[in-house]
């Protein structure tokens, strides 16, 4: 349920950190251009072995299930084997993320003996790309380390951070992972934080998601290896059902919003506690996402403090801004990946790298950028005057006797719709006056309310589909079980704390007991 202010009523006592990412050390043997932690030297006050074993005991008491050992480079901490073994001995699952450069057979066998269920090795492209990111000589060593894992019988994942250098070469990375015998290929988004904030030319643009998601879907369809996406990539497009479909327990998995402080926790090498380690301070200032330190308060005290992790535990849709504030998914999604929003915007109220957002806006207003190489179709004179406005439209001055347009030379379906407007209108039978003149009347008979892409403009969606998008502004109406489509709800998902209205629908309408009235 929600309170009188529209905020979630989260019973903190029922929450458990099912998934933990633990930065064992900030020490690292590489200096990667995209490292969000600026890893290299260890923190001056990193936890002792006994303190780390205390963290393991606390996580077990809190109901932890999966712990990912990360860094820095976690294998640079001498007691990683003891910590990993303790996680197993306390009935939890441990895995690890490593750069694989120093992954010898002896180390691989120790990983196996410690009970690691999977090791993810970072490979960011074919050799030239990988070594541009991670340094000369790293590619062959990393691939050899991966092969060593497979030789000793370990489950191994290729982990790739998507950036501008590898975006158009993901087919090559996929094939490399297949050739190495990877059990899975998992991708995450490179965000403008840490070293990547300095190398921000590596950050892809939001519009690149229109290439990325279909490409990953196409690759996953080959079936040679499982392809998965991290929390920073998605959401609510036709590709999530394939790329984010089954959780580690084998249950259905759908995007249910950021889980930091709800089902996820992050622990820094010096005992700092966060909901997510990828949520970092803005512009080097005090870290607003640091909830405490286990040296001052126990992990249990920090986790059960009802005033902490407020961005998720005290969420209301009214907290959102921009596109997210009006999105029909806002109650469940809660603004996409908080870590991406923080890195890109300096806040957590809107994620500009949401696939649904990008696809919707691309459909609503075609991009009107001039593509220089189309000069054969329209000379520079035909687009001489480019007047941008706050609404994103412009006018074109065609008064300078431009060359005739040859429509046979025009590609109406080019990736980003970057045809000059005059060319686009003349050759592609499209009017670009939306935003300049009022749009034509909506013909609801031409609208598909259940289209996969969900990219109807809000005003069309409201008028034709009998849906109100004011949830979060006004209280939601009472749940009518006759109107609830239980096939579209995921009551037993591996992932996601359901918002109260969705949970109510699951409890009241989708219990599976046909003998009782809902």
């Amino acid at each position: 349920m929600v309170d009188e202010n529209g905020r979630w009523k989260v019973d903190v006592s029922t929450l458990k950190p099912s998934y933990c990412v633990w930065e064992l050390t900030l020490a690292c043997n590489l200096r990667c251009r995209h490292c969000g932690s600026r890893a290299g030297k260890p923190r001056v006050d990193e936890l002792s072995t006994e303190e780390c074993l205390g963290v393991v005991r606390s996580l077990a008491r809190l109901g932890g299930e999966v712990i990912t050992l990360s860094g820095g480079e976690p294998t640079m901490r001498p007691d990683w084997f003891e910590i990993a073994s303790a996680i197993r001995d306390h009935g939890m699952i441990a895995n690890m993320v490593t750069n694989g450069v120093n992954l010898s057979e002896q180390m691989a066998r120790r990983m196996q003996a410690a009970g690691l269920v999977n090791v993810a090795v970072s490979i960011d492209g074919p050799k030239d790309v990988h070594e541009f990111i991670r340094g000369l000589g790293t590619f062959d060593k990393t691939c050899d380390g991966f092969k060593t894992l497979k030789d000793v019988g370990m489950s191994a994942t290729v982990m790739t951070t998507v950036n501008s250098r590898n975006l158009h070469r993901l087919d090559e990375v996929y094939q490399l992972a297949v050739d190495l015998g990877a059990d899975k290929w998992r991708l995450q988004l490179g965000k403008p934080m840490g070293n990547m904030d300095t190398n921000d030319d590596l950050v892809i643009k939001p519009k690149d998601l229109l290439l990325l998601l279909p490409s990953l879907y196409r690759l996953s369809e080959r079936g040679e290896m499982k392809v998965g996406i991290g929390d920073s990539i998605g959401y609510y497009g036709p590709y999530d059902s394939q790329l984010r479909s089954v959780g580690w327990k084998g249950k259905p998995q759908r995007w249910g919003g950021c889980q930091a402080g709800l089902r996820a926790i992050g622990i820094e090498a010096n005992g700092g506690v966060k909901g997510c380690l990828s949520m970092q301070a803005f512009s080097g200032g005090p870290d607003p996402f640091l909830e405490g330190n286990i040296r001052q308060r126990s992990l249990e005290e920090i986790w059960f403090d009802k005033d902490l992790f407020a961005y998720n535990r005290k969420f209301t849709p009214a907290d959102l801004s921009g596109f997210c504030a009006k999105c029909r998914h806002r109650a469940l999604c809660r603004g996409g990946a908080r870590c991406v929003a923080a890195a890109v915007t300096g806040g957590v109220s809107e994620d500009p790298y949401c696939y649904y957002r990008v696809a919707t806006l691309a459909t609503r207003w075609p991009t009107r950028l001039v593509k220089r190489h189309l000069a054969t179709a329209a000379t520079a004179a035909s687009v001489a005057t480019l007047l941008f406005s706050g609404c994103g439209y412009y006018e074109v001055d065609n008064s300078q006797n431009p060359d005739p347009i040859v429509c046979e030379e025009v590609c109406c379906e080019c990736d980003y719709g970057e045809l000059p407007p005059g060319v686009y209108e003349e050759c592609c039978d499209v009017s670009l006056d939306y935003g300049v003149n009022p749009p034509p009347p909506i013909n609801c008979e031409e609208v598909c309310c259940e289209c996969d892409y969900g990219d109807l403009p809000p005003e069309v969606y409201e008028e034709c589909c009998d849906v109100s998008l004011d949830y979060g502004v006004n209280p939601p109406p009472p749940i009518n079980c006759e109107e609830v489509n239980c096939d579209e709800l995921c009551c037993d998902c591996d992932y996601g704390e359901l918002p109260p209205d969705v949970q109510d629908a699951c409890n009241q309408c989708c219990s599976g007991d046909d003998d009782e009235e809902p």
Side-chain angles (χ1 to χ4, degrees):
M1 297 296 293
V2 293
D3 64 18
E4 63 277 5
N5 297 314
R7 295 187 179 276
W8 284 27
K9 283 187 176 179
V10 175
D11 184 354
V12 174
S13 67
T14 66
L15 299 178
K16 65 178 184 178
S18 301
Y19 183 63
C20 171
V21 178
W22 189 351
E23 174 198 275
L24 280 189
T25 179
L26 201 57
C28 190
N29 49 347
L30 301 181
R31 301 294 185 272
C32 301
R33 293 176 187 262
H34 64 1
C35 180
S37 305
R38 296 191 191 276
K41 297 180 180 180
R43 298 180 190 270
V44 296
D45 53 350
E46 295 190 347
L47 299 177
S48 67
T49 301
E50 187 51 45
E51 287 174 316
C52 287
L53 296 178
V55 170
V56 173
R57 292 190 290 270
S58 290
L59 286 170
R61 287 192 291 266
L62 287 168
E65 296 179 85
V66 180
I67 300 176
T68 296
L69 303 178
S70 184
E73 170 51 45
T75 61
M76 291 192 71
R77 182 172 174 119
D79 56 0
W80 68 264
F81 177 84
E82 186 175 354
I83 296 167
S85 299
I87 293 170
R88 175 203 57 201
D89 294 344
H90 281 78
M92 297 178 289
I93 291 173
N95 55 26
M96 181 180 285
V97 179
T98 174
N99 60 44
V101 169
N102 293 328
L103 218 166
S104 63
E105 181 180 349
Q106 180 185 13
M107 182 180 289
R109 293 199 181 279
R110 282 172 62 80
M111 289 174 172
Q112 191 175 46
L116 295 181
V117 299
N118 181 271
V119 176
V121 179
S122 299
I123 300 178
D124 291 309
K127 185 171 184 176
D128 59 318
V129 175
H130 183 88
E131 296 198 346
F132 174 80
I133 299 293
R134 295 180 176 268
L136 294 176
T138 58
F139 180 78
D140 290 339
K141 291 179 180 178
T142 297
C143 290
D144 288 344
F146 194 97
K147 293 174 185 175
T148 300
L149 285 172
K150 297 303 297 180
D151 287 344
V152 302
M154 288 288 294
S155 173
T157 295
V158 168
M159 179 79 77
T160 299
T161 299
V162 178
N163 58 66
S164 61
R165 288 275 179 146
N166 61 23
L167 176 65
H168 297 281
R169 302 183 68 180
L170 294 177
D171 289 53
E172 297 174 64
V173 187
Y174 175 91
Q175 190 57 53
L176 173 63
V178 170
D179 293 343
L180 288 172
D183 297 281
K184 184 176 181 179
W185 184 34
R186 182 173 172 85
L187 300 98
Q188 61 187 8
L189 187 68
K191 300 174 285 293
M193 62 187 197
N195 289 346
M196 205 161 179
D197 189 30
T198 305
N199 298 285
D200 60 359
D201 59 312
L202 289 174
V203 182
I204 68 170
K205 306 301 182 186
K207 68 180 182 180
D208 292 329
L209 295 172
L210 301 176
L211 167 67
L212 175 62
L213 271 298
S215 297
L216 296 181
Y217 178 86
R218 174 176 51 80
L219 291 171
S220 72
E221 284 285 272
R222 294 187 188 178
E224 299 174 85
M225 171 186 60
K226 183 173 177 57
V227 178
I229 51 178
D231 289 358
S232 55
I233 300 177
Y235 323 89
Y236 299 112
Y239 311 110
D240 264 31
S241 61
Q242 174 97 351
L243 300 173
R244 184 184 280 115
S245 58
V246 180
W248 67 275
K249 294 181 180 179
K251 293 182 180 179
Q253 178 168 279
R254 302 180 189 175
W255 176 248
C258 169
Q259 296 302 300
L262 297 174
R263 295 185 65 187
I265 194 170
I267 300 174
E268 295 178 327
N270 63 355
V273 178
K274 293 182 165 185
C276 169
L277 292 184
S278 292
M279 298 176 69
Q280 297 188 4
F282 311 134
S283 303
D287 193 337
F289 305 117
L290 188 62
E291 309 291 352
N293 191 292
I294 66 163
R295 284 176 170 146
Q296 281 76 53
R297 303 176 70 189
S298 71
L299 188 60
E300 291 91 336
E301 285 182 277
I302 295 171
W303 180 256
F304 288 122
D305 190 325
K306 61 182 177 60
D307 294 321
L308 301 182
F309 311 98
Y311 50 85
N312 273 337
R313 294 183 178 181
K314 296 185 178 182
F315 168 78
T316 174
D319 295 337
L320 301 176
S321 63
F323 183 91
C324 289
K326 293 291 185 181
C327 178
R328 64 191 177 105
H329 298 293
R330 62 186 176 273
L332 181 62
C333 180
R334 305 192 311 281
R338 302 290 198 184
C339 60
V340 178
V344 176
T345 71
V348 295
S349 61
E350 182 182 19
D351 177 359
Y353 283 79
C354 163
Y355 175 84
Y356 177 74
R357 174 188 186 274
V358 174
T360 300
L361 295 178
T363 303
R364 194 182 308 170
W365 297 293
T367 306
R368 301 167 177 84
L369 300 177
V370 179
K371 213 164 189 176
R372 298 297 180 188
H373 69 259
L374 288 175
T376 56
T379 66
S382 68
V383 289
T385 304
L386 217 56
L387 302 175
F388 286 90
S389 80
C391 294
Y393 65 85
Y394 56 71
E395 298 173 353
V396 179
D397 181 3
N398 286 320
S399 63
Q400 301 183 37
N401 300 317
D403 293 337
I405 297 170
V406 181
C407 288
E408 288 79 5
E409 300 177 2
V410 173
C411 174
C412 296
E413 290 79 31
C414 289
D415 281 347
Y416 297 115
E418 294 175 347
L419 294 171
V423 177
Y424 198 63
E425 291 190 283
E426 180 166 335
C427 299
C428 303
D429 193 25
V430 172
S431 172
L432 294 179
D433 67 355
Y434 186 69
V436 182
N437 299 315
I442 298 169
N443 183 350
C444 288
E445 294 180 0
E446 299 177 357
V447 172
C448 173
C449 296
E450 289 80 29
C451 288
D452 280 344
Y453 292 87
D455 52 12
L456 294 172
E459 63 274 9
V460 176
Y461 193 70
E462 288 189 299
E463 179 166 335
C464 298
C465 304
D466 193 26
V467 171
S468 171
L469 296 179
D470 67 355
Y471 182 65
V473 180
N474 299 315
I479 295 171
N480 182 343
C481 287
E482 293 182 0
E483 299 176 357
V484 172
N485 185 345
C486 292
D487 291 336
E488 295 182 355
L489 297 179
C490 187
C491 302
D492 193 31
C493 284
D494 261 359
Y495 185 96
E497 178 77 9
L498 294 177
D501 62 316
V502 179
Q503 188 64 66
D504 285 349
C506 285
N507 294 340
Q508 296 178 26
C509 310
C510 304
S511 64
D513 190 345
D514 297 330
D515 297 327
E516 296 182 9
E517 289 293 325

